[in-house]
Amino acid sequence: MSDSGTGRSAGSGDGTRAVRAGLPEPVKNQPHLPGPAFAAHFHLPGDVDGPYTYGRDQNPTWSLLERAIGELEAPGQEGVETLTFASGMAAISSVVFSQLHAGDTVVLPSDGYQVLPLVRAQLEAYGIEVRTAPTGGDAQLDVLDGAKLLWLESPSNPGLDVCDIRRLVEAAHAGGTLVAVDNTLATPLGQRPLELGADFAVASGTKQLTGHGDVLLGYVVGRDAEAMAAVRRWRKIVGAIPGPMEAWLAHRSIATLQLRVDRQCATALTVAEALRKRPEVAGLRYPGLPDDPSHKIASQQMRRYGCVISFTLPTRAHADRFLDAARLVDDATSFGGVRSTAERRGRWGGDAVPEGFIRFSVGAEDPEDLVADVLRALDASAE
Ligand SMILES: *Cc1c(COP(=O)(O)O)cnc(C)c1O
């Protein structure tokens, strides 16, 4: 159980909030962040009451992490509840499958996370109508009529389009439609969907929230008690729970969130500016670039623009040579880690991207080192 109270955190800046998020009242001779509670079951004499009974239902290490995430996603908001999950997909599935029933309609982005088409197939198998539209241009507005749930992903992964969350929420709520926003790419320091009116902020904590590429995690933050009770029930039924060690690692990692996000976002802009001068680079996207198609709306609803940029090299071979030549950029999927990663996204299939399309996640290296490495790799990959 968690609330969004700012607890003992005296400051309101993101860095202060991040380093103190979710910490319990200090206890003499005890660590400030208690270690992971490894327990499948808890001492439970007599009546079944109190918060901790069985390890699939609740765990004190999750409780602290859930409080921390709630403080970041919805600072100062009352009545907000946070639930953590084994992965981002566990969090997404728990919202979607707990809120929708046969005969309902859901609107998904057509350009969202690559597993959404599998979710779509499963929803349809359960008799739920699925409509899709692109993120850019708020196109999901056009297919909203009568939907039970609107799912937004802004910025979208990997295309980096942005939608006007407030505008979509207003239209959705006018028709009685709940709204969930996938906040993975932005992180709560980049964007706070609940403040923009959304009913759920959902994310993969696997990416920049934890930032070291060593943990899978997901979370749901919501303010509708009934809806959240259904999400909690779904987590219990499916058992999609985080391990105590993962939850603790995530909580420890959140202490550096502001440092990492600020560094990585600033360097992402620097790398994007260096890439735009290169003739072989096409379709460069970064919402933080002032002339990016996403920038106007992003600047209204985001406080930081994320660490992911995307661009297209002329051919698949050219992109592969670039990825081979870069020494500070690991060829890997996922994003948000302290070490830069990039991949040719088309290798997975599924995303509607050109063969030479690269999704680049900017890490915490020194910006001059990273830019030099990227430019050298581009030189080396030219024919
Ligand atoms: C990675 C990702 C997910 C899924 O998260 P997992 O932790 O891998 O299950 C969902 N949405 C977005 C936008 C992602 O990037």
Side-chain angles (χ1 to χ4, degrees), residues 87-90 92 113 153 157 182 184 204 206-207 216-217 335:
S87 67
M89 280 317 302
I92 291 172
Y113 184 58
E153 188 179 308
N157 169 23
D182 185 326
T184 302
S204 168
T206 311
K207 314 290 169 56
L216 280 115
L217 189 89
F335 59 84

Side-chain angles (χ1 to χ4, degrees), residues 171-197:
H173 285 175
T177 306
L178 289 169
V179 182
V181 178
D182 185 326
N183 206 29
T184 302
L185 202 142
T187 84
L189 296 196
Q191 170 173 281
R192 298 202 285 248
L194 264 56
E195 287 180 4
L196 300 168

Side-chain angles (χ1 to χ4, degrees), residues 73-378:
E73 280 282 357
Q77 286 190 45
E78 297 297 322
V80 169
E81 188 177 346
T82 302
L83 294 168
T84 48
F85 291 84
S87 67
M89 280 317 302
I92 291 172
S93 293
S94 294
V95 172
V96 163
F97 292 106
S98 68
Q99 304 302 311
L100 297 166
H101 304 100
D104 287 340
T105 298
V106 59
V107 176
L108 302 179
S110 56
D111 51 353
Y113 184 58
Q114 61 177 355
V115 181
L116 289 185
L118 296 179
V119 174
R120 174 187 190 147
Q122 191 61 58
L123 286 165
E124 286 171 345
Y126 287 156
I128 294 154
E129 183 189 335
V130 180
R131 300 182 197 142
T132 63
T135 299
D138 300 339
Q140 287 172 285
L141 279 177
D142 300 337
V143 292
L144 206 50
D145 202 29
K148 174 96 184 290
L149 178 68
L150 168 63
W151 193 272
L152 305 177
E153 188 179 308
S154 181
S156 61
N157 169 23
L160 302 177
D161 277 327
V162 163
C163 61
D164 184 338
I165 295 174
R166 241 185 248 283
R167 179 176 178 220
L168 282 145
V169 164
E170 271 168 30
H173 285 175
T177 306
L178 289 169
V179 182
V181 178
D182 185 326
N183 206 29
T184 302
L185 202 142
T187 84
L189 296 196
Q191 170 173 281
R192 298 202 285 248
L194 264 56
E195 287 180 4
L196 300 168
D199 302 285
F200 305 99
V202 185
S204 168
T206 311
K207 314 290 169 56
Q208 199 170 20
L209 184 82
T210 59
H212 294 71
D214 51 10
V215 166
L216 280 115
L217 189 89
Y219 67 81
V220 178
V221 186
R223 67 166 120 248
D224 181 322
E226 204 182 313
M228 288 304 286
V231 177
R232 181 185 287 278
R233 192 168 58 239
W234 187 266
R235 181 176 71 174
K236 179 185 173 102
I237 295 169
V238 175
I241 54 168
M245 187 71 200
E246 283 74 10
W248 181 83
L249 275 171
H251 199 162
R252 188 182 73 159
S253 302
I254 284 174
T256 56
L257 183 63
Q258 185 262 348
L259 291 172
R260 289 184 282 108
V261 170
D262 274 0
R263 166 72 158 221
Q264 290 172 249
C265 289
T267 308
L269 184 61
T270 306
V271 172
E273 280 164 350
L275 285 171
R276 80 168 352 146
K277 298 188 188 118
R278 298 288 301 209
E280 70 271 53
V281 168
L284 176 67
R285 295 296 304 269
Y286 180 62
L289 280 171
D291 57 355
D292 187 273
S294 293
H295 185 72
K296 187 164 174 288
I297 298 165
S299 66
Q300 289 161 18
Q301 67 190 18
M302 298 182 76
R303 299 184 303 135
R304 298 172 175 88
Y305 300 108
C307 64
V308 179
I309 59 189
S310 64
F311 59 95
T312 301
L313 291 172
T315 62
R316 172 181 178 155
H318 196 138
D320 284 337
R321 287 197 301 274
F322 167 73
L323 293 168
D324 269 353
R327 293 189 196 120
L328 293 178
V329 185
D330 294 328
D331 195 339
T333 193
S334 199
F335 59 84
V338 289
R339 286 173 291 277
S340 290
T341 57
E343 70 170 337
R344 201 178 59 75
R345 194 64 186 170
R347 67 182 175 171
W348 293 91
D351 293 324
V353 294
E355 284 287 0
F357 178 95
I358 287 178
R359 186 182 68 185
F360 192 123
S361 171
V362 174
E365 300 84 3
D366 290 297
E368 51 276 23
D369 289 342
L370 187 60
V371 168
D373 190 54
V374 166
L375 296 181
R376 193 193 45 73
L378 282 174

